Amino acid sequence: MLDVALKKQLNFTISVIYIVISCCLVWQLPNAFVALLISLSVSNIVISYFNKSKPNTLVVNLLAFICLVLLFYLVGFTDTVKLFVAMLLLATLFKLLQAQSKQQYQFITLLTFFNLATVYLFEQGILATLVISVLYFLNLALLALIENRLSFKVANKQSITLLMIALPIAALLLIFLPKMPAFWQLPGPKLAKTGLSEQVDPFAIAKLSESDELVFRVKTNDMNELTPPLYWRSIIHDEFNGQQWLVSDILKSTISLSKPRHYDHFTMLKQYEIIAQPSANNWLYGLAYATSNNANVASSADGLLQRQQYLSKNLKYDVTSFYVTDLQLTRRQTAINTRIEGNNNRQTRELAQAIFQTNNTPQAYFSALLSYFKEQKFHYTLTPEPMLSDSMLDEFMFNQKRGFCGHYASAAAFMFRAVEIPARVVSGYLGGERNNDDGYLSIYQYDAHAWVEVFIAGKWHVFDATAVVSPERLNGSLSQIAALNNEFNDNLNFGLLRLSRFDSINWLRLKLENFDYQWTNWVLTFDQQAQKSLLNTLFGNRSIWLAPLLIISILAITFSLYFIYNKQQAKPTTPLITELTTLFRWAEKNGIILSVYNTPLQNLQIIAQQLPATEEKIAQFKQLLITVRYQQQAYTEKRKNLGKDLVKSIKTTTMRKV
């Protein structure tokens, strides 16, 4: 059985670990369930601190059943990964609530390693990695504490030493060991990093301005090539049901079956690299018509990019963007992109036709519509008022005249279609925050944007009323528009970005963001393709056999040196064995005959009898031996030093006697 002091230490430390894990998952699990986990952890601390008896099995089982029902109600059954993680956490905490024996605490610490790993299913950034790494150190120390009854300080030193030896080996294996496809894997968690949807609801797009989650980063050799406005295309919406813009079934089938094709007339735009965050959807991002050579990225005939797999991982992919100038729409495509369903929004339809009567060419109508939005004093806002009418576009165009990008895109695309000019709504992101130190752009959820693509003279042209209503929006990130600063900050949750008006806090935010970029760029996106490129750079054509040979050699040398060092530095692990051996050798040198058949206590008594001057010190040493070896109390640093001091004192007395 474990002593009371050790149980207190174990209960407190394990409970703290689970409180931190719960806080790390606060954005992934329901708040009520996170509160339940924290409550169970705190209960374990209170019971242990006040020396209260742990609840009996019947009470624990009844409480576990109630919490399990609550778990199914709060988490549900649709997201199997979150359900699995929640059940594992709950089961471990209830196990801790009952733990008494050494084996039970060992089992809990082993389960904790798995629970710590579950955090990486949802968050793999550098901050989460640092926090979980500290908890790994702590949990490994607990395992050593349970097994060897050392002091907590010594156990932590051992834990850090072992992990410091393991980390360089793990880094070498990550870089040089050939990457193999997973034999099996859990279904990816339903992450909500990408907030775009296949249906453009103006208010849904506006809601994205409330989120400061990172969506993707863009890196290029020359950042000056990325000149605004930067329209990062993601989804094309070609069907309007009177209130929302949708992706038609025809377009879905076309996207899934189509592949990039060769164009005779195009203008090269840019080449760059994108690092996309984990997402619940397979949409990716690119400027204009985009293609990629990445094996995990598919390119469609409309210049859109999609993930092939690995939605729950960061994805780095190269992109080549270009403008196509020789497109021809078929009759079917023209019909789809000029179709308007229903008879609502009649005022907007009549307005479009009236403008077209005096501007009866597509180019002239394009310019006239932009001028209309500018002259009629429309306003750009992050907090549009609700529009509940069946003719939402009429209400916006003639009554409100205040809206987010989705309002302008919906109205403009409708007005183009009303005069038989092919148009479609595109949703994605606009601009981005530039990091001048390392030369990359960061695009966040609040940079979500919707605009219109109009087909004129063999080319899809960008029509964005935002250009005249709020022209400063085109030049960077939404967070950098001074006129919208108050609205923007009021929308956001509390965080560093909301306090970025203070120079010191903004500096800290940018530094943390840069650290996270480096971590993502060099570690999280190091996949099979990146490894192959690195090995080819280092070893050329010999990488197939030279890389495995190198890793085997490094491992062989590392383990050889480790075992040689251990052999030379090997110390007895049994408490006080070194002190006993030293003391018995001194006694024999002083002519005292000790028997190998005696117990250590009997031999100590012989020394005390033949050297009466050492009797008091021998008695203290015997008591220390009984406490540590037989009563199995912790061999703390204080007791270790006491044993050494007593042996020195006895040896000094022996020398004087002789």
Side-chain angles (χ1 to χ4, degrees):
M1 292 291 290
L2 303 176
D3 60 71
V4 175
L6 182 55
K7 284 183 182 179
K8 272 189 177 181
Q9 201 166 40
L10 291 172
N11 278 312
F12 176 80
T13 309
I14 294 172
S15 297
V16 168
I17 289 175
Y18 278 91
I19 290 173
V20 177
I21 293 175
S22 301
C23 292
C24 290
L25 297 175
V26 70
W27 300 112
Q28 309 302 333
L29 299 175
N31 291 337
F33 184 74
V34 172
L36 173 63
L37 295 177
I38 294 175
S39 300
L40 288 172
S41 301
V42 172
S43 299
N44 275 304
I45 294 175
V46 171
I47 290 172
S48 178
Y49 182 80
F50 291 102
N51 295 322
K52 300 292 184 180
S53 299
K54 292 196 172 185
N56 60 46
T57 304
L58 179 61
V59 173
V60 171
N61 288 340
L62 181 60
L63 186 59
F65 176 76
I66 296 172
C67 290
L68 191 63
V69 172
L70 187 63
L71 162 66
F72 291 145
Y73 174 74
L74 293 173
V75 179
F77 296 91
T78 56
D79 195 332
T80 54
V81 174
K82 286 184 180 180
L83 183 62
F84 165 78
V85 170
M87 291 180 67
L88 187 60
L89 290 168
L90 196 62
T92 308
L93 285 173
F94 273 108
K95 187 70 176 176
L96 180 62
L97 201 59
Q98 288 184 296
Q100 295 287 352
S101 67
K102 172 182 175 181
Q103 289 76 17
Q104 288 173 327
Y105 280 104
Q106 284 176 328
F107 181 68
I108 291 167
T109 53
L110 290 174
L111 277 179
T112 302
F113 284 117
F114 289 95
N115 283 314
L116 288 169
T118 60
V119 176
Y120 292 123
L121 291 170
F122 308 98
E123 180 58 55
Q124 300 168 6
I126 188 169
L127 182 60
T129 301
L130 290 174
V131 171
I132 297 304
S133 296
V134 171
L135 298 183
Y136 268 117
F137 283 126
L138 201 57
N139 198 55
L140 191 61
L142 290 179
L143 204 56
L145 189 66
I146 296 169
E147 186 63 33
N148 298 324
R149 311 291 176 85
L150 304 172
S151 69
F152 195 48
K153 182 178 178 180
V154 174
N156 272 292
K157 284 183 178 179
Q158 287 187 358
S159 172
I160 293 172
T161 301
L162 287 173
L163 288 173
M164 287 299 102
I165 293 171
L167 283 175
I169 298 174
L172 288 170
L173 291 173
L174 174 69
I175 295 171
F176 294 108
L177 196 66
K179 292 186 176 294
M180 301 291 290
F183 293 106
W184 62 276
Q185 58 184 353
L186 288 170
K190 296 182 179 178
L191 303 172
K193 294 289 185 180
T194 301
L196 298 178
S197 170
E198 288 187 354
Q199 59 184 35
V200 173
D201 184 328
F203 294 101
I205 289 286
K207 281 289 183 182
L208 293 181
S209 67
E210 300 176 5
S211 173
D212 61 354
E213 289 184 2
L214 180 69
V215 183
F216 63 99
R217 295 186 177 101
V218 184
K219 176 77 173 177
T220 184
N221 293 330
D222 184 4
M223 288 300 293
N224 293 325
E225 292 180 358
L226 295 177
T227 55
L230 299 172
Y231 289 96
W232 305 101
R233 301 169 81 235
S234 187
I235 312 169
I236 292 174
H237 313 267
D238 62 338
E239 181 179 318
F240 183 60
N241 65 5
Q243 292 187 328
Q244 297 175 331
W245 287 85
L246 314 171
V247 182
S248 68
D249 293 335
I250 296 173
L251 183 58
K252 288 179 183 178
S253 62
T254 303
I255 291 174
S256 63
L257 296 175
S258 63
K259 296 180 179 179
R261 63 175 184 258
H262 175 73
Y263 297 98
D264 294 327
H265 300 88
F266 64 90
T267 302
M268 185 63 69
L269 181 59
K270 296 174 180 70
Q271 290 183 318
Y272 47 94
E273 183 179 77
I274 287 182
I275 301 176
Q277 293 294 105
S279 171
N281 304 294
N282 60 352
W283 309 308
L284 290 174
Y285 328 97
L287 298 171
Y289 273 65
T291 60
S292 176
N293 293 322
N294 191 297
N296 293 320
V297 177
S299 306
S300 75
D302 287 303
L304 300 178
L305 302 176
Q306 293 189 346
R307 290 176 187 254
Q308 297 283 68
Q309 52 185 343
Y310 306 128
L311 274 70
S312 59
K313 292 175 59 177
N314 293 82
L315 176 64
K316 182 194 291 186
Y317 59 98
D318 61 283
V319 186
T320 300
S321 289
F322 52 91
Y323 291 124
V324 181
T325 57
D326 65 337
L327 289 174
Q328 296 293 328
L329 295 186
T330 65
R331 288 185 179 180
R332 184 184 185 188
Q333 290 173 324
T334 301
I336 291 172
N337 288 285
T338 56
R339 183 173 56 196
I340 297 177
E341 296 182 1
N343 295 316
N344 52 356
N345 300 303
R346 290 183 180 181
Q347 286 182 281
T348 305
R349 190 193 305 261
E350 291 169 0
L351 173 64
Q353 292 168 351
I355 296 174
F356 189 70
Q357 285 180 357
T358 54
N359 302 272
N360 55 11
T361 65
Q363 292 87 346
Y365 184 75
F366 187 101
S367 300
L369 195 53
L370 273 179
S371 299
Y372 179 85
F373 280 109
K374 182 177 181 180
E375 293 166 358
Q376 294 299 315
K377 308 296 183 182
F378 281 82
H379 295 280
Y380 188 84
T381 178
L382 306 181
T383 55
E385 295 181 13
M387 300 178 195
L388 306 176
S389 169
D390 291 337
S391 297
M392 293 177 61
L393 298 183
D394 286 351
E395 187 175 350
F396 167 66
M397 291 294 295
F398 295 94
N399 298 331
Q400 301 285 357
K401 293 189 176 183
R402 292 172 54 84
F404 196 55
C405 58
H407 296 80
Y408 293 101
S410 297
F414 179 88
M415 293 178 75
F416 276 107
R417 290 191 174 192
V419 295
E420 299 297 322
I421 297 176
R424 60 194 186 188
V425 173
V426 179
S427 61
Y429 296 87
L430 175 61
E433 184 179 55
R434 189 180 296 265
N435 186 300
N436 294 319
D437 292 339
D438 285 279
Y440 64 89
L441 285 176
S442 297
I443 292 85
Y444 299 89
Q445 285 291 10
Y446 53 70
D447 290 314
H449 195 65
W451 62 95
V452 181
E453 288 184 347
V454 185
F455 190 78
I456 301 174
K459 179 182 176 181
W460 287 102
H461 297 263
V462 171
F463 179 95
D464 189 2
T466 307
V468 294
V469 176
S470 180
E472 62 271 27
R473 175 66 184 93
L474 274 63
N475 296 321
S477 174
L478 184 64
S479 62
Q480 298 168 328
I481 302 177
L484 297 173
N485 188 259
N486 290 334
E487 277 187 273
F488 178 76
N489 285 330
D490 289 342
N491 275 355
L492 289 177
N493 293 322
F494 182 79
L496 292 180
L497 181 63
R498 193 166 184 176
L499 302 175
S500 60
R501 63 182 181 275
F502 301 106
D503 291 339
S504 57
I505 294 180
N506 192 50
W507 175 86
L508 175 62
R509 179 182 71 86
L510 293 175
K511 287 298 179 184
L512 292 174
E513 203 277 338
N514 190 47
F515 287 143
D516 186 72
Y517 165 72
Q518 299 296 343
W519 172 257
T520 304
N521 188 39
W522 293 105
V523 179
L524 298 185
T525 59
F526 190 75
D527 55 12
Q528 189 174 9
Q529 189 170 333
Q531 184 189 50
K532 184 178 179 180
S533 177
L534 175 64
L535 295 180
N536 287 337
T537 302
L538 294 175
F539 306 119
N541 295 330
R542 296 174 295 175
S543 63
I544 295 177
W545 62 269
L546 196 54
L549 179 62
L550 177 64
I551 195 68
I552 291 171
S553 302
I554 292 174
L555 287 174
I557 293 170
T558 302
F559 284 116
S560 298
L561 292 175
Y562 177 73
F563 285 121
I564 292 171
Y565 173 81
N566 265 3
K567 188 174 182 181
Q568 291 178 345
Q569 301 294 326
K571 295 181 180 180
T573 57
T574 306
L576 295 175
I577 190 65
T578 301
E579 289 74 9
L580 277 171
T581 303
T582 302
L583 191 57
F584 290 163
R585 285 176 181 172
W586 270 86
E588 289 174 349
K589 286 182 180 180
N590 284 278
I592 298 174
I593 300 174
L594 303 175
S595 174
V596 295
Y597 299 106
N598 289 341
T599 65
L601 292 176
Q602 289 173 333
N603 281 329
L604 288 172
Q605 186 61 34
I606 292 172
I607 296 173
Q609 289 174 353
Q610 297 196 26
L611 296 172
T614 67
E615 187 173 359
E616 182 181 350
K617 300 295 182 183
I618 290 290
Q620 294 180 30
F621 191 84
K622 286 170 63 178
Q623 184 57 47
L624 178 63
L625 185 65
I626 291 169
T627 300
V628 174
R629 295 280 292 276
Y630 301 109
Q631 294 179 356
Q632 295 188 340
Q633 294 188 24
Y635 188 40
T636 62
E637 195 70 24
K638 182 178 179 180
R639 286 169 175 163
K640 184 177 181 181
N641 292 332
L642 176 61
K644 290 179 180 179
D645 292 340
L646 288 172
V647 170
K648 288 179 182 178
S649 179
I650 293 169
K651 285 164 48 178
T652 303
T653 306
T654 305
M655 291 174 65
R656 291 174 183 168
K657 180 69 178 178
V658 173

